[in-house]
Amino acid sequence: QVQLVESGGGLVQAGGSLRLSCAASGRTFKNYAAGWFRQAPGKEREFVAAIRWTGANTYYADSVKGRFAISRDNAKNMVYLQMNRLKPEDTAVYYCALDRQGWGTLEHDYQYDYWGQGTQVTVSS
């Protein structure tokens, strides 16, 4: 129904920055929330950031708070994740996801309905 495509990943040295983009196509739902998750090899998928439909409310994992910023442009069906002061422990595949419900804590991956294919972020020390 809905397709999500992430882009913007790559290799960067510690302390650098990247901006990830998530483009949504197909049917989308008004009032949906959007989130970013990441998964490193051998680890479970973890919450990174989320944003409500209006964009006025954002949420972050403690590990990225103050360094990452999530934003969205509903007119363009785009969600972004600006990542600054990257650390080697940020290395992971990053996924964007949409939650049709649009409310709640937005920290649990099982609450999301649509997922992208992921984009690799590698931070070297």
Side-chain angles (χ1 to χ4, degrees):
Q1 293 179 304
V2 176
Q3 294 181 344
L4 305 177
V5 180
E6 302 96 335
S7 62
L11 175 64
V12 65
Q13 289 189 335
S17 299
L18 286 172
R19 189 173 86 151
L20 305 183
S21 298
C22 176
S25 61
R27 187 178 69 170
T28 57
F29 301 89
K30 186 177 181 179
N31 299 324
Y32 67 78
W36 286 94
F37 292 78
R38 67 187 183 186
Q39 186 170 26
K43 299 187 65 177
E44 296 183 354
R45 186 164 54 192
E46 66 175 347
F47 169 77
V48 176
I51 186 169
R52 302 223 181 263
W53 166 259
T54 64
N57 302 101
T58 58
Y59 310 88
Y60 299 94
D62 289 340
S63 59
V64 307
K65 193 172 298 182
R67 299 189 297 120
F68 291 10
I70 187 172
S71 61
R72 69 191 300 166
D73 186 338
N74 291 339
K76 297 180 179 179
N77 292 323
M78 296 289 292
V79 183
Y80 306 98
L81 183 68
Q82 178 67 45
M83 305 185 295
N84 299 320
R85 292 181 284 128
L86 284 161
K87 304 175 181 180
E89 50 263 44
D90 295 319
T91 295
V93 176
Y94 283 71
Y95 301 89
C96 67
L98 302 184
D99 174 13
R100 292 177 295 179
Q101 181 176 268
W103 59 270
T105 62
L106 305 180
E107 298 178 356
H108 306 110
D109 56 2
Y110 61 80
Q111 295 179 316
Y112 289 78
D113 302 289
Y114 304 100
W115 293 83
Q117 84 291 343
T119 185
Q120 177 70 48
V121 172
T122 302
V123 184
S124 62
S125 60

